[in-house]
Amino acid sequence: MSPSSPTSFPLSVTFHSDWGVTTGTGVAGGVDSVVEKDERGLPIVRATVLAGVVREQSLLAAQALDDGDPGGSWRAFASALFGSDLAPRLVVFSDARLIDPPADPADLIHEVVSLSIDERTGTAREDFLRFFERAGACRLRGEVTLSDVDKDGRPLTWSDEQRDAAELLLALAGLLVRAIGSNRAVGDGVCDVLIHADHEPGDARAVKDWCRTQLGRWKGRGAPQPPTADATTAAAPV
């Protein structure tokens, strides 16, 4: 592979509304639900969450690239990238962490209240008052990396074509993500997820323009086969 073909792509998440990936737990005597935070006390989007939302949208993007053919080459490529019960995925996500965090994490995280109104009385229903944390609009950054070894530790080599196909599929999938986290039904978590080798965080136009150019290049072409290790190559020593 040429030096101009990296196997890691910057990922940015720009939230335009309150958001939070909750831990499912609260604080005794305090809020009922808290957002997940890193070691700095700042809100974070874990790699597993990012992989889940991008994987879901990658299958939709692949379906479009295959013109709806469920057995198409792009669907097979997406499935190989994100793996299955029998095969590990070929892409690795990092956590997305806050860019330019405030000096005090409390400046970004706030509490909101949720209650349920009794339609009959017009008053708050008993035992339906909840306090939970939300983070404000902000921008986070992470990375997506193409695996360099297979499940047996044998080296994988990505051709330029395989790398370019992976970047296109990941970029399209990111553009299809509309929200992340809890309370999406009420408008929380609205965001832009951008995955592209050369984009500046939040520059959705640049990523969309790049995708348009690449779609023209790939028009009428199927996805390549995913990389596989040479069966004769010895596994890396432990």
Side-chain angles (χ1 to χ4, degrees), residues 50-67:
L50 292 169
V53 296
V54 175
R55 178 188 183 279
E56 180 181 2
Q57 299 305 327
S58 75
L59 296 176
L60 293 177
Q63 183 178 12
L65 291 169
D66 285 328
D67 292 326

Side-chain angles (χ1 to χ4, degrees), residues 14-19 98 108 110 134-140 190:
T14 302
F15 285 101
H16 303 290
S17 66
D18 278 2
W19 68 281
L98 201 68
L108 184 63
H110 55 276
R134 307 309 285 157
C138 60
R139 184 169 294 153
L140 300 90
V190 175

Side-chain angles (χ1 to χ4, degrees), residues 1-7 160 163-164 167 197-198:
M1 181 179 296
S2 67
S4 62
S5 298
T7 54
D160 287 345
R163 178 263 182 203
D164 291 348
E167 185 178 15
D198 300 317

Side-chain angles (χ1 to χ4, degrees), residues 124-157:
R125 298 169 63 187
E126 293 184 9
D127 301 324
F128 278 84
L129 180 65
R130 298 179 66 247
F131 294 89
F132 54 96
E133 286 184 341
R134 307 309 285 157
C138 60
R139 184 169 294 153
L140 300 90
R141 187 153 196 172
E143 189 175 64
V144 187
T145 302
L146 304 179
S147 297
D148 57 4
V149 295
D150 71 0
K151 63 182 178 64
D152 297 315
R154 297 175 301 189
L156 291 174
T157 300

Side-chain angles (χ1 to χ4, degrees), residues 47-211:
T48 52
V49 174
L50 292 169
V53 296
V54 175
R55 178 188 183 279
E56 180 181 2
Q57 299 305 327
S58 75
L59 296 176
L60 293 177
Q63 183 178 12
L65 291 169
D66 285 328
D67 292 326
D69 179 4
S73 61
W74 285 100
R75 174 65 183 243
F77 191 78
S79 297
L81 279 183
F82 287 91
S84 66
D85 293 339
L86 300 177
R89 63 181 182 224
L90 299 177
V91 288
V92 179
F93 287 75
S94 74
D95 297 336
R97 295 173 176 267
L98 201 68
I99 299 175
D100 299 326
D104 185 353
D107 292 340
L108 184 63
I109 299 174
H110 55 276
E111 295 180 12
V112 298
V113 61
S114 173
L115 54 83
S116 179
I117 300 298
D118 189 316
E119 295 181 358
R120 182 176 58 83
T121 64
T123 60
R125 298 169 63 187
E126 293 184 9
D127 301 324
F128 278 84
L129 180 65
R130 298 179 66 247
F131 294 89
F132 54 96
E133 286 184 341
R134 307 309 285 157
C138 60
R139 184 169 294 153
L140 300 90
R141 187 153 196 172
E143 189 175 64
V144 187
T145 302
L146 304 179
S147 297
D148 57 4
V149 295
D150 71 0
K151 63 182 178 64
D152 297 315
R154 297 175 301 189
L156 291 174
T157 300
W158 293 77
S159 69
D160 287 345
E161 183 183 40
Q162 290 166 335
R163 178 263 182 203
D164 291 348
E167 185 178 15
L168 174 59
L169 192 61
L170 290 166
L172 290 172
L175 290 173
L176 292 174
V177 176
R178 301 313 313 145
I180 293 176
S182 59
N183 289 346
R184 285 174 288 178
V186 296
D188 279 9
V190 175
C191 63
D192 291 323
V193 176
L194 305 179
I195 304 170
H196 177 45
D198 300 317
H199 87 280
E200 292 296 322
D203 191 354
R205 180 181 295 276
V207 178
K208 290 177 181 178
D209 288 346
W210 179 84
C211 284

